[in-house]
Amino acid sequence: MKFKLSILFILIFVLFSCKNEDQNRIAETQKDINKKEIIFSNIEKGWIFNANPINATSKANALTWSEWGLFLTELNQKPKKTIGAFQKKSTELSKKAIDLNNNIPLDFNKPQIKSRISTLITKVKMLDLFIHLDNIPDKKVIVLVGEINEELVSLQKQMEKLVQKSKIPMEAGESDLIKMLDTTRAIPTRSIPTTRQQFEVLNMPRVE
């Protein structure tokens, strides 16, 4: 009789234990779902890019420099519904950002433009990295969105600065100075005699 009661108590204990484990598992699952929903909501609210050109130069480049135009278009298309959509978008943005190194217009193929493009690419790559983590740091993602916007403004302002600088007329003699500094246009100079014999030969009177 005691043996049967022991078996009964064991069965009851096992049943309650299984029930508690199931409840804990359900609670943890729901907690994980709620956390992901909050992360998605935060990212969805903070995913705001200033994709519209801020000046005439940037707007013109969007039409003539296809890589720049495609990057701005990609930024302007906000993902919807799932975190997976944001992950896919960030990967595409990373590719489009890297493409900015291609076919840079001659007037903008300068170190100050390339350095800003490089910084922009780094920020976009970091965004792509963070949003693909198992535990997405939503606050860092939102901060990166803001930093990318800052880099966009910096790049476009530098474009405009180069255009405005090119419109400033050169001062008298500046064009000649630039030509003189261009080593590819330099006229070979006569070599200076290195020995006394060479010096005497160069200075011998010509026979008419």
Side-chain angles (χ1 to χ4, degrees), residues 74 105 134 145 183 196:
E74 197 70 44
D134 291 334
V145 169
T183 56
R196 182 178 181 82

Side-chain angles (χ1 to χ4, degrees), residues 5-86:
L5 286 174
S6 298
I7 295 296
L8 180 61
F9 282 126
I10 291 171
L11 289 173
I12 292 171
F13 177 76
V14 170
L15 287 172
F16 273 106
S17 296
C18 291
K19 186 177 180 180
N20 288 335
E21 287 180 7
D22 289 340
Q23 289 176 343
N24 290 336
R25 193 179 297 110
I26 292 171
E28 288 297 323
T29 301
Q30 187 59 48
K31 185 179 178 180
D32 186 56
I33 291 172
N34 292 339
K35 183 179 179 180
K36 287 180 178 179
E37 287 178 349
I38 292 172
I39 289 174
F40 171 79
S41 178
N42 290 340
I43 292 176
E44 198 274 337
K45 290 177 183 177
W47 193 279
I48 302 174
F49 288 107
N50 299 328
N52 295 323
I54 65 171
N55 52 47
T57 300
S58 177
K59 188 174 182 180
N61 277 339
L63 298 174
T64 58
W65 180 15
S66 61
E67 286 78 8
W68 174 246
L70 289 171
F71 179 67
L72 293 181
T73 299
E74 197 70 44
L75 279 175
N76 205 32
Q77 296 171 349
K78 187 176 181 177
K80 297 178 180 179
K81 297 183 179 180
T82 66
I83 196 67
F86 283 92

Side-chain angles (χ1 to χ4, degrees), residues 10 22 40 51 74-75 117 120 145 147 158 161 166 173 180:
I10 291 171
D22 289 340
F40 171 79
E74 197 70 44
L75 279 175
I117 289 176
L120 179 61
V145 169
E147 291 178 355
Q158 187 60 49
K161 185 177 180 180
S166 68
M180 289 174 63

Side-chain angles (χ1 to χ4, degrees), residues 91-156:
T91 298
E92 195 60 35
L93 281 174
S94 183
K95 293 177 182 177
K96 291 291 190 297
I98 293 172
D99 286 343
L100 291 175
N101 281 319
N102 301 329
N103 304 315
I104 301 174
L106 185 61
D107 292 341
F108 301 104
N109 197 3
K110 313 287 184 183
Q112 52 267 53
I113 293 292
K114 289 183 176 181
S115 65
R116 284 167 174 78
I117 289 176
S118 178
T119 304
L120 179 61
I121 290 172
T122 300
K123 298 291 184 182
V124 176
K125 281 184 174 181
M126 288 176 65
L127 175 69
D128 188 35
L129 173 64
F130 284 141
I131 205 168
H132 277 89
L133 295 175
D134 291 334
N135 189 14
I136 300 173
D138 50 321
K139 292 181 179 179
K140 288 185 178 180
V141 168
I142 295 169
V143 168
L144 275 170
V145 169
E147 291 178 355
I148 289 170
N149 282 328
E150 291 175 3
E151 295 304 327
L152 282 169
V153 170
S154 176
L155 176 57
Q156 293 177 85

